[in-house]
Amino acid sequence: MTMIVQQLVNGITQGGLYALLAISYSLVYGVMSLVNFSTGSIYMLGAVGAWLLCNYLISDFLLSLVVGFAVGFALAFILEKIAFKSIRGISRISSLICTIGFSQMLNELTALLFGKATKGMPSFFSEKAFEVVGVTISWLQLILMLAVVVVLVTLQLFVYKTKMGLAVRTVAMDNTTAGLMGINVDRTISIAFSLAGACAGIAGVAGCIYYRSVSAYMGWIPGIKSFSAAVFGGLSSMPGAILGGYLMGIIENFGVQIFSTGYRDVISFVVMIIFLLFCPAGLLGRKKTTKV
Amino acid sequence: MNNAIIRFDHVTVTYGAIQALQDVSLEVEKGMIVALIGANGAGKTTLLNALTGVVPVKEGHIYLRDEDITGMKSHLISQRKVAHVPEGRRIFAELSVEDNLRVGAYNLYKDKARIKQLMEMNYELFPILAERSKQLGGTLSGGEQQMLAIARGLMSEPEIVLLDEPSLGIAPIIVEKIFEFIVKINQMGKTIFLVEQNANLALETASYVYVLETGRVTNHNTSEVLLKDDSIRKAYLGL
């Protein structure tokens, strides 16, 4: 029982990171029908940004998150402008490969400049917050959970309650018609893409603080895993992506408990594959119903 | 004709090697209903799409109130008081009727009072939409969707309404109704440029008609003249 609760807590903490990344995939997929495989690299660069801040300027938790947001936003903004804008409308497979290429490029450039070695992050809020019947929860876990929820809620408010959010939803449904309604499609895509980057950047900072390490290749596995989580939840649905992210975290931690740590990555993918065999649209994905 | 609010000046549009529009010149006069008729694939939709920046113009110029808008992005043209009601209606299926209308008034987003006013005006014009206001756009029938598409266009307070095949795939009895609405909207002072495959309806409704055949304007005149034109009667009216 204790173990179950403990793994649930760990799973939710980790799932929050996946949820942030999954929503990043979902946001980009929504407006561009593009799976952005450089999301993992943006995650990594957010973390590198936080590491630089903590090592050279000031070791501060909140400021690190802000840096993650800024790095992710700026990087995604630039990437969209120089690369993805020009490939919009070309075949999906080509644009997919393009995002993988950029991801590799960013990873290798970082390895070159930052070094290949894994570096440590200072610890924040490592004290135990409380312990109930053997279940320990650290302040860090609590704060990370809260931070993720704050980001996710803010993003939902943006998408469902603001003018720009309406533009994002409309462009996601039909960008040609959105343009005819007076919506600046290019700008909307740019903003959605940048916000998606910001989410990935924040996730990167949260990730490097949680695992207390930073490296040039740290984005690869979380990137792939949270893509799976997004597909699991239904790629086209933002609430689905969030749900998928959390479930992925929880499943993974229970899997580790039942089998062993070595199978950490295998378990989550196996569960996802089996699930998708039976429900290919994902948990909350929309089933395309086209009316003729 | 210097009352032209829309003017095509030798416009050519190509899709790869295919010429969709060849050297098309036409004018739409302010306050009138002008129609463009032609068979399937003649380039009618392309012509409207070129006008609102959905497809690029290869040669020639398009003027809106004497301003050259060739190659301008869609949203900027929409902001110039042009509402394009696209072919196939293109309703946002996952938004409610009300939200579809709200998207139509995107540029007025902050002006809640004005939006409410416009919405009520539309509900008055199309009472069925008021009944369905909370329903998702995708659940409406074809005719209702067409009304919604027109209402959505009117939400931006346009001076010009471009209608692309409003009769397409709709029961004849509803088509009649929709054309009554079109006349009503024209009487509200809005210029209407109607693209229509149903030549009969178009000639009945519009005062001036252009005929498009495989990307070229082959004939144009007032509808009275064209209704008496033998070639038109044979090719388009089946008489």
Side-chain angles (χ1 to χ4, degrees):
Chain A
M1 183 60 203
T2 310
M3 237 35 235
I4 292 176
V5 180
Q6 181 71 61
Q7 291 305 344
L8 196 65
V9 170
N10 295 348
I12 290 172
T13 315
Q14 207 176 357
L17 305 186
Y18 293 150
L20 277 177
L21 282 168
I23 210 159
S24 178
Y25 278 105
S26 165
L27 205 52
V28 171
Y29 187 79
V31 292
M32 298 175 80
S33 299
L34 172 73
V35 178
N36 178 16
F37 277 115
S38 54
T39 305
S41 301
I42 299 175
Y43 168 94
M44 176 272 294
L45 282 163
V48 170
W51 185 85
L52 290 174
L53 174 87
C54 291
N55 263 277
Y56 294 110
L57 290 168
I58 175 172
S59 196
D60 184 78
F61 177 78
L62 211 60
L63 220 53
S64 295
L65 288 181
V66 172
V67 165
F69 177 92
V71 169
F73 191 94
L75 191 67
F77 182 82
I78 296 166
L79 273 181
E80 201 272 333
K81 281 274 174 287
I82 63 164
F84 300 127
K85 197 174 168 187
S86 55
I87 60 168
R88 228 154 68 199
I90 67 165
S91 82
R92 279 173 110 164
I93 191 80
S94 320
S95 34
L96 205 74
I97 290 167
C98 183
T99 69
I100 296 172
F102 266 100
S103 175
Q104 284 295 336
M105 191 190 81
L106 290 173
N107 292 352
E108 294 306 327
L109 272 180
T110 309
L112 210 64
L113 298 170
F114 182 72
K116 284 184 176 171
T118 303
K119 299 189 168 52
M121 273 297 280
S123 67
F124 295 99
F125 316 111
S126 53
E127 310 86 47
K128 179 159 36 165
F130 49 80
E131 187 176 339
V132 200
V133 285
V135 179
T136 28
I137 300 175
S138 70
W139 278 113
L140 179 65
Q141 279 182 314
L142 277 182
I143 289 168
L144 281 181
M145 281 183 216
L146 186 72
V148 169
V149 169
V150 167
V151 173
L152 293 176
V153 169
T154 313
L155 194 64
Q156 295 294 305
L157 288 177
F158 167 77
V159 169
Y160 289 100
K161 297 282 174 218
T162 66
K163 184 179 182 186
M164 202 61 216
L166 179 65
V168 169
R169 282 186 292 147
T170 314
V171 168
M173 283 181 259
D174 179 346
N175 60 15
T176 308
T177 309
L180 296 180
M181 300 295 116
I183 292 166
N184 187 339
V185 176
D186 285 340
R187 204 176 62 142
T188 305
I189 290 179
S190 170
I191 287 176
F193 201 91
S194 308
L195 277 177
C199 285
I202 292 176
V205 174
C208 74
I209 288 173
Y210 190 50
Y211 301 116
R212 295 194 50 198
S213 70
V214 182
S215 89
Y217 302 111
M218 68 184 278
W220 173 241
I221 289 290
I224 292 290
K225 230 184 250 176
S226 51
F227 167 62
S228 315
V231 175
F232 188 29
L235 196 49
S236 51
S237 148
M238 286 187 33
I242 296 173
L243 185 64
Y246 277 111
L247 279 179
M248 184 66 111
I250 293 166
I251 291 169
E252 190 178 316
N253 278 280
F254 277 113
V256 167
Q257 184 62 36
I258 296 164
F259 302 99
S260 87
T261 330
Y263 292 107
R264 176 174 280 271
D265 300 339
V266 180
I267 296 156
S268 32
F269 286 121
V270 167
V271 169
M272 194 201 68
I273 290 167
I274 293 171
F275 177 79
L276 285 181
L277 280 177
F278 295 102
C279 183
L283 284 169
L284 302 181
R286 32 189 147 127
K287 287 167 204 79
K288 282 268 178 207
T289 41
T290 336
K291 197 165 179 174
V292 186
Chain B
M1 188 155 59
N2 251 340
N3 218 354
I5 195 161
I6 298 168
R7 191 154 60 84
F8 276 62
D9 185 17
H10 301 286
V11 172
T12 296
V13 173
T14 56
Y15 296 123
I18 302 153
Q19 287 214 318
L21 289 182
Q22 298 179 43
D23 200 30
V24 168
S25 295
L26 60 78
E27 290 186 348
V28 175
E29 209 176 318
K30 196 174 173 192
M32 297 204 343
I33 301 183
V34 175
L36 179 74
I37 61 173
N40 237 339
K44 303 188 298 297
T45 296
T46 302
L47 193 142
L48 283 193
N49 283 345
L51 174 56
T52 52
V54 178
V55 298
V57 171
K58 193 171 181 219
E59 278 165 45
H61 294 273
I62 302 172
Y63 299 92
L64 182 69
R65 299 184 196 87
D66 294 322
E67 180 192 10
D68 189 348
I69 57 158
T70 322
M72 199 180 266
K73 293 231 173 91
S74 301
H75 69 276
L76 296 174
I77 294 167
S78 153
Q79 284 162 17
R80 283 167 171 71
K81 300 212 162 289
V82 178
H84 182 162
V85 181
E87 182 181 18
R89 310 177 278 274
R90 306 285 281 262
I91 291 300
F92 298 108
E94 289 147 61
L95 294 184
S96 67
V97 167
E98 205 172 296
D99 282 344
N100 265 285
L101 293 179
R102 219 163 255 137
V103 176
Y106 181 74
N107 286 312
L108 302 168
Y109 188 84
K110 289 267 142 63
D111 195 349
K112 302 269 189 243
R114 187 86 195 99
I115 290 181
K116 202 166 169 234
Q117 214 178 335
L118 283 163
M119 227 173 243
E120 272 159 19
M121 180 206 86
N122 271 306
Y123 285 155
E124 213 171 286
L125 196 59
F126 306 104
I128 188 78
L129 295 183
E131 271 170 51
R132 304 251 190 274
S133 66
K134 300 285 175 221
Q135 236 170 283
L136 291 188
T139 63
L140 301 186
S141 75
E144 289 163 353
Q145 285 194 359
Q146 188 61 59
M147 292 181 208
L148 178 56
I150 296 174
R152 186 180 63 180
L154 293 179
M155 287 298 287
S156 63
E157 305 188 281
E159 285 172 8
I160 305 168
V161 182
L162 313 172
L163 295 165
D164 196 347
E165 302 264 15
S167 71
L168 193 76
I170 292 168
I173 192 161
I174 310 289
V175 170
E176 243 169 73
K177 243 190 195 165
I178 283 173
F179 274 75
E180 278 165 30
F181 287 131
I182 293 172
V183 173
K184 231 188 237 174
I185 292 162
N186 177 245
Q187 282 161 355
M188 287 157 64
K190 301 184 193 302
T191 307
I192 290 187
F193 189 24
L194 170 70
V195 161
E196 192 44 77
Q197 212 182 114
N198 185 332
N200 234 330
L201 270 172
L203 284 162
E204 254 171 53
T205 316
S207 46
Y208 202 89
V209 175
Y210 285 86
V211 181
L212 198 67
E213 274 170 25
T214 55
R216 291 172 188 278
V217 173
T218 51
N219 201 346
H220 58 98
N221 217 321
T222 59
S223 17
E224 291 101 63
V225 175
L226 287 180
L227 274 167
K228 288 175 196 140
D229 187 319
D230 269 347
S231 63
I232 299 291
R233 286 166 64 96
K234 252 191 210 145
Y236 295 102
L237 302 178
L239 298 171

